[in-house]
Amino acid sequence: SNIADFVEYWTSGHLFLAGQSPYSPVQILGLERSLDPAFARPLMMLYPPWILPVFAIFGGMPYNVAHLLWFFLSIALDLLSSIGLWIYFGGSRSKLWIPLLISATFLQMGAAESVGQITPLILACVTAFLLLTKKKRYFLAGLCLFGLGIKPQLLYLVFLAVVVWIVRERRWTTLAGALLSASTLL
């Protein structure tokens, strides 16, 4: 189904805003069936609670509007991330068409966007972190570390590398930014 991942985010955000449990299989299934009666089992959102405020932004909109907005936002984040990574790794600004072309032809990216995955947001956070550390904007870079906490089970090695870097380089302002972003969402 085209809504496989995004429906989880939307229902969780919608329930969160309504003061209900975004982790309740019964409540989730009821809301998902209101979108599509073919749901036999609930598609559960298995993300940590600190991501719920992001999902709530979309959960406050009608489903179709939220899904369309998420889709276009995902495309924009992927394209901006490809440009940002191109620049970070030394690509010429006069040849920005190259990362855009690569992004446009990378089928996995299109598949992630079509089902509404959250990976474009994670990629954008990691890209912003890299660009901001390169510009020595360590506090802002720390704020972007929020993205590592979206799917900690996938990014724990990146998280450990960042912690080692913070300690080794004594980038305490990066740690302060990370703690602020984490505490704001908790």
Side-chain angles (χ1 to χ4, degrees):
S1 170
N2 190 26
I3 61 173
D5 283 4
F6 184 75
V7 74
E8 298 171 32
Y9 311 148
W10 185 84
T11 54
S12 296
H14 192 78
L15 291 169
F16 178 73
L17 282 176
Q20 298 175 329
S21 173
Y23 298 101
S24 166
V26 173
Q27 291 175 332
I28 288 172
L29 183 59
L31 193 51
E32 290 172 347
R33 281 190 175 156
S34 73
L35 298 172
D36 183 352
F39 279 103
R41 292 186 311 248
L43 290 175
M44 298 295 297
M45 189 271 309
L46 300 175
Y47 291 95
W50 51 82
I51 191 65
L52 287 170
V54 174
F55 295 157
I57 294 168
F58 295 92
M61 302 176 198
Y63 177 81
N64 291 333
V65 172
H67 188 233
L68 192 62
L69 179 60
W70 185 270
F71 177 74
F72 286 113
L73 181 63
S74 294
I75 290 172
L77 289 174
D78 281 338
L79 294 175
L80 289 171
S81 295
S82 67
I83 290 170
L85 290 170
W86 176 262
I87 291 168
Y88 179 81
F89 288 109
S92 166
R93 289 183 187 265
S94 65
K95 296 184 179 179
L96 289 179
W97 61 270
I98 295 173
L100 294 175
L101 178 65
I102 291 169
S103 293
T105 59
F106 186 55
L107 295 179
Q108 285 4 40
M109 193 175 283
E113 291 160 348
S114 71
V115 296
Q117 290 185 353
I118 200 161
T119 50
L121 178 59
I122 296 169
L123 178 62
C125 289
V126 171
T127 301
F129 172 79
L130 291 171
L131 290 169
L132 289 165
T133 56
K134 191 172 189 175
K135 291 185 177 215
K136 299 182 183 347
R137 307 286 308 262
Y138 299 116
F139 181 77
L140 292 175
L143 291 175
C144 295
L145 290 175
F146 155 77
L148 297 180
I150 295 172
K151 281 193 165 189
Q153 74 278 17
L154 298 178
L155 299 168
Y156 70 93
L157 292 175
V158 175
F159 173 76
L160 289 174
V162 169
V163 168
V164 168
W165 173 80
I166 287 172
V167 172
R168 194 181 101 224
E169 299 295 321
R170 301 179 200 276
R171 299 293 179 209
W172 308 122
T173 54
T174 304
L175 179 61
L179 292 174
L180 178 64
S181 70
S183 67
T184 306
L185 295 169
L186 289 179

